[in-house]
Amino acid sequence: MNTIFLPATILALTLVSVLIVRSRPLVLKLSCELLLLIVILACLVARGTSPLPSGTELARHADAAWLRALAVVWWLIGARVVAAVVAIVLGHDARSRPARLFSDLLAGAIYLATVLIILNSVLDLPVNGLLATSGVIAIVLGLALQNTLADVFSGIAVGVDRPFRVGDRVTIKDHAEGMIVEATWRSVRIQTEQDDIATIPNSVVARGQIINHSFPTERRAASIEVPTRSSARSELLLELVRQATLLSPSVLEQPAPSVSLKRVGLSTTTLGVHYYAATTSEMGKAKGQLLRQVRRLFRHAGIENGSPPPLSEVLRQTTLFDSLPSEQIEALSRCLANRALAPGDVLFDQGSAGASLYIVRSGVLNVERRHEAGAIERLGRVGPGEYLGAISMMTGEPHPVTVTAETFGSVLEIPRGSLETLLKKNEVLSAALEQAIRQGMIILDGADAARTCDPIDRSGTVLARIRDYLLSSSGRHGVPNAR
């Protein structure tokens, strides 16, 4: 009875320990399993046997069955430890496709060899007939699973070549384009632009042409054509499209976009734009921005109508003044002063006083802010139809930004006095100006600053002070209803 107690106890403790550490971290699991291997080996050696016991050794022991069980457990735990070490050495990473394939295949080979050793050397079972029979079964299974095996070995070949990783955006010619979300033994799963999942067998992947859009960089090149029916000079059309690329935030500045003439007909001129986007997901956004900016610039330049729009139409197309009736638009247009700009010219500098509102009529302007440390932050670019200077004009405070011309262009200057009369008569215009200032504060100070400038804040906000400052010049303390 005493001879059976020790191996039985060790066997029970081993099974309990394996169950407890099964869900623990890998380091703890390996440490526990190595300790179990040492304890079982010590027990077997102490009883005069080994993990490969012979029949003569076990014949002398009354607890031979328990010692065989311990030897079986020793080999199974050893196989688990070796398979785990192999996985670590190869890099068991979800993004490492060849490591997963090789570690799984090697783990299978390790467990198969372990089973054969246990059957032949520990349990003394004949395996020659089993091996012969398994050869026939392997041939039958190979014929039945030839497509699956082709996918598996193709997966190994693709894994060794490593043309992509999980997370890369690829095109497998004639099959699918999208992001790799999973790569298994049999197939590759691709998430397409329509959020569908395309499953492609590895044998098809290995034979197909693979284009990896994420290597060496995720930057993507694209081209569009811009047809226009216009008799305008080709140089003007090229310059307007180049300005459209400057006004599209999703179009990368480097490498610089290129604009060229593609076709020149009797009534139609087609321009080509070659540009880059940061990622594939940005390509659609960049194209949409570019086409909208081209249309806007063409409209403000009068490309389709043959001549630029009159000043009254420029005001009407500006969102700030689109609520004004025609007679007020005409009156305001007579107060405008045109100012031409060349590249590098400063419209106004940060810290300078301002008492006018500026509407961009043509060209592209840079908006920058200079920090106390001397660093210059570019806040963006503005183009035709956009306006500047509202914050300084409404508050009397110095300009918070510097605006310089990046291209040749012109701006329309509206003195504050001309707007005061309109604000007294049009409540909608007053609200639009306040909204414009709020948006400017969002850009300058972020969303938190914008929230503190809510015009209905009981503590008295910047926008409330703007109303008082602007209307105080006429001795009024409120904006009358436009009706």
Side-chain angles (χ1 to χ4, degrees), residues 224-230 237 241 260-265 267-273 291 294-295 298 303-304:
I224 62 171
E225 291 188 353
V226 181
T228 178
R229 293 181 177 274
S230 174
L237 297 175
V241 174
S260 60
L261 283 174
K262 302 291 287 187
R263 289 180 296 277
V264 178
S267 59
T268 303
T269 301
T270 301
L271 300 97
V273 187
L291 292 175
V294 167
R295 181 182 179 187
F298 279 11
I303 295 301
E304 296 180 355

Side-chain angles (χ1 to χ4, degrees), residues 207-257:
R207 292 194 304 268
Q209 181 186 30
I210 303 172
I211 302 175
N212 191 334
H213 304 297
S214 300
F215 184 82
T217 67
E218 294 187 354
R219 185 180 65 207
R220 293 293 305 277
S223 299
I224 62 171
E225 291 188 353
V226 181
T228 178
R229 293 181 177 274
S230 174
S231 58
R233 295 179 297 108
S234 299
E235 291 80 4
L236 175 60
L237 297 175
L238 291 170
E239 175 60 19
L240 290 174
V241 174
R242 188 184 74 84
Q243 292 178 12
T245 63
L246 297 176
L247 293 170
S248 303
S250 295
V251 175
L252 295 181
E253 296 185 22
Q254 295 296 331

Side-chain angles (χ1 to χ4, degrees), residues 428-450:
V428 176
L429 177 60
S430 175
L433 262 176
E434 291 176 0
Q435 179 64 26
I437 293 174
R438 183 183 295 109
Q439 292 174 350
M441 290 175 177
I442 291 174
I443 295 175
L444 290 172
D445 301 315
D448 290 338

Side-chain angles (χ1 to χ4, degrees), residues 40-360:
I40 295 173
L41 180 61
C43 178
L44 291 174
V45 171
R47 301 308 300 271
T49 183
S50 70
L52 289 175
S54 64
T56 56
E57 291 177 352
L58 293 176
R60 298 193 301 266
H61 298 280
D63 55 351
W66 291 100
L67 295 177
R68 286 185 191 274
L70 280 179
V72 169
V73 171
W74 189 90
W75 279 103
L76 292 177
I77 294 177
R80 283 168 56 92
V81 171
V82 173
V85 171
V86 169
I88 294 173
V89 171
L90 293 179
H92 193 68
D93 182 5
R95 292 178 59 88
S96 179
R97 190 163 180 267
R100 265 180 44 206
L101 285 172
F102 282 125
S103 63
D104 290 345
L105 289 174
L106 287 176
I110 290 169
Y111 284 118
L112 179 60
T114 300
V115 170
L116 292 176
I117 291 173
I118 291 173
L119 292 176
N120 185 64
S121 301
V122 178
L123 302 179
D124 287 333
L125 296 177
V127 296
N128 293 333
L130 178 62
L131 292 176
T133 304
S134 63
V136 176
I137 295 175
I139 294 174
V140 174
L141 290 177
L143 293 175
L145 302 175
Q146 54 183 336
N147 291 333
T148 300
L149 293 175
D151 292 334
V152 171
F153 286 105
S154 296
I156 296 174
V158 172
V160 172
D161 195 38
R162 300 192 70 180
F164 52 74
R165 298 183 302 173
V166 173
D168 286 354
R169 188 168 293 273
V170 302
T171 296
I172 299 178
K173 193 173 182 181
D174 300 330
H175 293 283
E177 177 177 356
M179 185 177 68
I180 302 289
V181 294
E182 188 178 10
T184 65
W185 283 30
R186 263 200 95 241
S187 62
V188 172
R189 289 181 174 86
I190 297 177
Q191 183 177 4
T192 66
E193 296 293 337
Q194 293 76 32
D195 284 335
D196 299 322
I197 298 295
T199 302
I200 304 176
N202 283 331
S203 56
V204 175
V205 175
R207 292 194 304 268
Q209 181 186 30
I210 303 172
I211 302 175
N212 191 334
H213 304 297
S214 300
F215 184 82
T217 67
E218 294 187 354
R219 185 180 65 207
R220 293 293 305 277
S223 299
I224 62 171
E225 291 188 353
V226 181
T228 178
R229 293 181 177 274
S230 174
S231 58
R233 295 179 297 108
S234 299
E235 291 80 4
L236 175 60
L237 297 175
L238 291 170
E239 175 60 19
L240 290 174
V241 174
R242 188 184 74 84
Q243 292 178 12
T245 63
L246 297 176
L247 293 170
S248 303
S250 295
V251 175
L252 295 181
E253 296 185 22
Q254 295 296 331
S258 61
V259 184
S260 60
L261 283 174
K262 302 291 287 187
R263 289 180 296 277
V264 178
L266 296 176
S267 59
T268 303
T269 301
T270 301
L271 300 97
V273 187
H274 184 76
Y275 62 94
Y276 291 86
T279 62
T280 302
S281 59
E282 290 287 314
M283 291 184 65
K285 186 188 300 185
K287 181 179 179 180
Q289 292 175 356
L290 189 53
L291 292 175
R292 286 195 298 272
Q293 296 297 340
V294 167
R295 181 182 179 187
R296 177 164 74 113
L297 288 167
F298 279 11
R299 184 178 71 251
H300 281 276
I303 295 301
E304 296 180 355
N305 299 328
S307 61
L311 297 183
S312 59
E313 185 62 26
V314 173
L315 290 175
R316 192 170 285 108
Q317 292 179 359
T318 304
T319 56
L320 187 61
F321 302 110
D322 58 5
S323 64
L324 295 180
S326 298
E327 60 272 15
Q328 293 183 357
I329 288 285
E330 293 294 337
L332 186 60
S333 65
R334 291 191 290 270
C335 302
L336 299 176
N338 188 70
R339 179 175 172 182
L341 296 172
D345 286 353
V346 178
L347 178 62
F348 54 77
D349 202 356
Q350 181 176 339
S352 63
S356 298
L357 184 72
Y358 300 93
I359 300 175
V360 182

Side-chain angles (χ1 to χ4, degrees), residues 438 441 449-464:
R438 183 183 295 109
M441 290 175 177
R451 284 193 291 270
T452 63
C453 297
D454 190 339
I456 63 173
D457 193 324
R458 291 188 296 271
S459 62
T461 64
V462 173
L463 294 180

